[in-house]
């Protein structure tokens, strides 16, 4: 145990390296082709399901934000700033 503590103090990367190696060694088990996601059709089907879920959740979030005036203002300020900055740069160069 003392050697391990000395190695951590000296190099600082022994726990990180061992953690990375344990995660990397698990990837061949996932890449061995288990079930319907081994082909491109299954992968595209899974991606489509994830994208549909993402768009649904974005719609729920936007509905919530547009229903709250202060949140809508807070999210709109950066976009308004970008638009104003765009026109300032155009008219500054003219």
């Amino acid at each position: 145990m003392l050697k391990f503590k000395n190695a951590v103090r000296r190099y600082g990367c022994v726990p990180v390296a061992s953690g990375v190696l344990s995660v990397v060694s698990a990837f061949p088990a996932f890449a061995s082709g288990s079930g319907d996601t081994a082909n491109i059709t299954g992968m595209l089907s899974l991606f489509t399901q994830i994208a549909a879920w993402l768009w649904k959740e974005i719609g729920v979030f936007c509905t919530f934000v547009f229903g709250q005036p202060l949140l809508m203002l807070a999210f709109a300020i950066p976009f308004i700033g970008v638009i104003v900055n765009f026109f300032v740069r155009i008219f500054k160069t003219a």
Side-chain angles (χ1 to χ4, degrees), residues 68-79:
Q68 310 292 325
L70 289 177
L71 282 177
M72 187 168 54
L73 179 66
F75 277 100
I77 287 173
F79 293 110

Side-chain angles (χ1 to χ4, degrees), residues 3 11 14 30-33 51 53-54 60 72 75 92:
K3 288 182 181 181
Y11 301 113
V14 173
F30 293 118
S32 63
W53 171 83
L54 183 67
V60 170
M72 187 168 54
F75 277 100
K92 188 177 180 180

Side-chain angles (χ1 to χ4, degrees), residues 13-47:
C13 63
V14 173
V16 175
S18 61
V20 168
L21 286 176
S22 64
V23 169
V24 170
S25 65
F27 283 133
F30 293 118
S32 63
S34 59
D36 60 345
T37 59
N39 55 11
I40 191 72
T41 307
M43 187 176 69
L44 288 175
S45 171
L46 181 64
F47 176 74

